[in-house]
Amino acid sequence: MTLIILLNLIITPSLEAETDFKNISTIGSAEITLRPDQAIIRLEINGEGSNKSRLNHQFREEIKKLTSKLQELFSNNIEIIQGEIEIVSYLDKANHFSKEIYRGTTYLKIKLDNNLIDNLNKLVDNIQDLNPVNSRVTYNQPDDFSYKIDRAYYTFKDPLKYQNQLLQEALNNSTAKLNVLLKLSSFKLVGIYQLKELQPSNISTYQEEINLERIKEATEESFKTELRVIYQVN
């Protein structure tokens, strides 16, 4: 009796006035458990010098050298995305003399997709070894550079694949509910009229912070979604 009453409540006339179709609406739900499969490190690069154009050139050379070295160390199995170089000036008033100094900053986003823990440890160690601060032998260099890991986190390499999988399972769940209702009525399915995700899974925005002092495997997380589907029947 409950199902029959529910069926009567959710059957509504179609919005298409020129047809005799009616609508049935069901809500499908799905849940999936995933472990992030990509690690991202955001590396901040800072440089300072007395000449703006030279500093900009040196920045590009420093980034080129670092990128080439990291690709070599990881056999080109990492992806490196370079951000914009931002250079600002300030007055250095040391010793009572004002001197214009230029300071630049940029970021590299470094993506790892396999052997995450081993490669994270390897990457962190190599960044420390390659950091110019640790290899500087003179304090009178025209342009001083330094590296700092600004952030590290786990995420998903291809979130769209998992989102589509989750939505397909929610649609299957909705269709299963529809089939129960159709068996209790004389209606026949015409097709899907409208779909709307009521509870987004947020897989594409998921991030899990990484403690680089004690790198651990990414945590398994459960993602849920709800999908309202309106079917046309006659």
Side-chain angles (χ1 to χ4, degrees), residues 2 52 57 111 118 135 168 170 194 222 228 230:
T2 303
K52 184 177 181 180
H57 173 74
K111 299 182 178 182
D118 290 343
S135 59
Q168 182 62 58
Q194 187 180 84
S222 293
R228 180 188 296 279
I230 300 177

mmCIF file of all heavy atoms in Angstrom, residues 2 52 57 111 118 135 168 170 194 222 228 230:
data_model
loop_
_atom_site.group_PDB
_atom_site.id
_atom_site.type_symbol
_atom_site.label_atom_id
_atom_site.label_comp_id
_atom_site.label_asym_id
_atom_site.label_seq_id
_atom_site.Cartn_x
_atom_site.Cartn_y
_atom_site.Cartn_z
ATOM 1 N N THR A 2 1.984 1.235 0.753
ATOM 2 C CA THR A 2 2.845 2.414 0.833
ATOM 3 C C THR A 2 3.427 2.764 -0.520
ATOM 4 O O THR A 2 3.452 3.918 -0.931
ATOM 5 C CB THR A 2 3.990 2.159 1.837
ATOM 6 O OG1 THR A 2 3.429 1.828 3.090
ATOM 7 C CG2 THR A 2 4.859 3.399 1.970
ATOM 8 N N LYS A 52 66.649 44.397 -11.961
ATOM 9 C CA LYS A 52 65.381 43.710 -12.225
ATOM 10 C C LYS A 52 65.458 42.785 -13.433
ATOM 11 O O LYS A 52 65.031 41.624 -13.368
ATOM 12 C CB LYS A 52 64.264 44.729 -12.421
ATOM 13 C CG LYS A 52 62.895 44.093 -12.612
ATOM 14 C CD LYS A 52 61.804 45.148 -12.736
ATOM 15 C CE LYS A 52 60.430 44.508 -12.894
ATOM 16 N NZ LYS A 52 59.357 45.537 -13.009
ATOM 17 N N HIS A 57 65.946 37.240 -15.697
ATOM 18 C CA HIS A 57 66.689 36.267 -16.524
ATOM 19 C C HIS A 57 67.235 35.135 -15.666
ATOM 20 O O HIS A 57 67.142 33.946 -16.033
ATOM 21 C CB HIS A 57 67.828 36.979 -17.256
ATOM 22 C CG HIS A 57 68.740 36.042 -17.990
ATOM 23 N ND1 HIS A 57 68.378 35.407 -19.166
ATOM 24 C CD2 HIS A 57 70.006 35.605 -17.690
ATOM 25 C CE1 HIS A 57 69.366 34.630 -19.562
ATOM 26 N NE2 HIS A 57 70.363 34.742 -18.690
ATOM 27 N N LYS A 111 53.974 17.166 -9.704
ATOM 28 C CA LYS A 111 53.002 16.087 -9.550
ATOM 29 C C LYS A 111 53.682 14.721 -9.656
ATOM 30 O O LYS A 111 54.448 14.477 -10.589
ATOM 31 C CB LYS A 111 51.914 16.197 -10.615
ATOM 32 C CG LYS A 111 51.118 17.491 -10.553
ATOM 33 C CD LYS A 111 50.030 17.509 -11.617
ATOM 34 C CE LYS A 111 49.196 18.783 -11.547
ATOM 35 N NZ LYS A 111 48.108 18.781 -12.553
ATOM 36 N N ASP A 118 57.798 6.538 -1.675
ATOM 37 C CA ASP A 118 59.217 6.519 -2.041
ATOM 38 C C ASP A 118 59.589 7.755 -2.841
ATOM 39 O O ASP A 118 60.628 8.387 -2.589
ATOM 40 C CB ASP A 118 59.545 5.263 -2.848
ATOM 41 C CG ASP A 118 59.502 3.994 -2.009
ATOM 42 O OD1 ASP A 118 59.545 4.111 -0.763
ATOM 43 O OD2 ASP A 118 59.417 2.903 -2.588
ATOM 44 N N SER A 135 74.123 25.238 -0.853
ATOM 45 C CA SER A 135 75.367 25.078 -1.609
ATOM 46 C C SER A 135 76.098 26.393 -1.830
ATOM 47 O O SER A 135 77.103 26.443 -2.519
ATOM 48 C CB SER A 135 75.070 24.436 -2.982
ATOM 49 O OG SER A 135 74.173 25.229 -3.717
ATOM 50 N N GLN A 168 27.109 6.994 -12.437
ATOM 51 C CA GLN A 168 26.509 5.854 -13.120
ATOM 52 C C GLN A 168 25.864 4.903 -12.119
ATOM 53 O O GLN A 168 24.759 4.391 -12.341
ATOM 54 C CB GLN A 168 27.569 5.111 -13.938
ATOM 55 C CG GLN A 168 27.025 3.932 -14.738
ATOM 56 C CD GLN A 168 25.996 4.339 -15.766
ATOM 57 O OE1 GLN A 168 26.274 5.156 -16.637
ATOM 58 N NE2 GLN A 168 24.790 3.777 -15.673
ATOM 59 N N ALA A 170 24.712 5.754 -9.185
ATOM 60 C CA ALA A 170 23.516 6.428 -8.660
ATOM 61 C C ALA A 170 22.364 6.339 -9.658
ATOM 62 O O ALA A 170 21.205 6.139 -9.273
ATOM 63 C CB ALA A 170 23.834 7.887 -8.353
ATOM 64 N N GLN A 194 15.014 14.404 -17.152
ATOM 65 C CA GLN A 194 15.901 15.355 -16.479
ATOM 66 C C GLN A 194 16.722 14.645 -15.410
ATOM 67 O O GLN A 194 16.240 13.720 -14.760
ATOM 68 C CB GLN A 194 15.080 16.476 -15.849
ATOM 69 C CG GLN A 194 15.896 17.620 -15.266
ATOM 70 C CD GLN A 194 15.007 18.686 -14.654
ATOM 71 O OE1 GLN A 194 14.589 18.572 -13.511
ATOM 72 N NE2 GLN A 194 14.700 19.712 -15.438
ATOM 73 N N SER A 222 35.519 7.835 1.692
ATOM 74 C CA SER A 222 34.246 7.477 1.071
ATOM 75 C C SER A 222 33.605 8.720 0.475
ATOM 76 O O SER A 222 33.575 9.781 1.114
ATOM 77 C CB SER A 222 33.302 6.843 2.092
ATOM 78 O OG SER A 222 33.798 5.591 2.524
ATOM 79 N N ARG A 228 18.774 13.018 -8.585
ATOM 80 C CA ARG A 228 17.335 13.014 -8.861
ATOM 81 C C ARG A 228 17.138 12.827 -10.366
ATOM 82 O O ARG A 228 17.688 13.587 -11.169
ATOM 83 C CB ARG A 228 16.671 14.316 -8.424
ATOM 84 C CG ARG A 228 15.149 14.329 -8.697
ATOM 85 C CD ARG A 228 14.550 15.700 -8.427
ATOM 86 N NE ARG A 228 14.665 16.067 -7.024
ATOM 87 C CZ ARG A 228 13.848 15.655 -6.063
ATOM 88 N NH1 ARG A 228 12.853 14.834 -6.353
ATOM 89 N NH2 ARG A 228 14.020 16.048 -4.825
ATOM 90 N N ILE A 230 14.220 12.377 -13.364
ATOM 91 C CA ILE A 230 12.818 12.460 -13.777
ATOM 92 C C ILE A 230 12.668 11.667 -15.077
ATOM 93 O O ILE A 230 13.362 11.948 -16.074
ATOM 94 C CB ILE A 230 12.370 13.904 -13.980
ATOM 95 C CG1 ILE A 230 12.514 14.701 -12.679
ATOM 96 C CG2 ILE A 230 10.933 13.970 -14.475
ATOM 97 C CD1 ILE A 230 12.156 16.159 -12.798
#
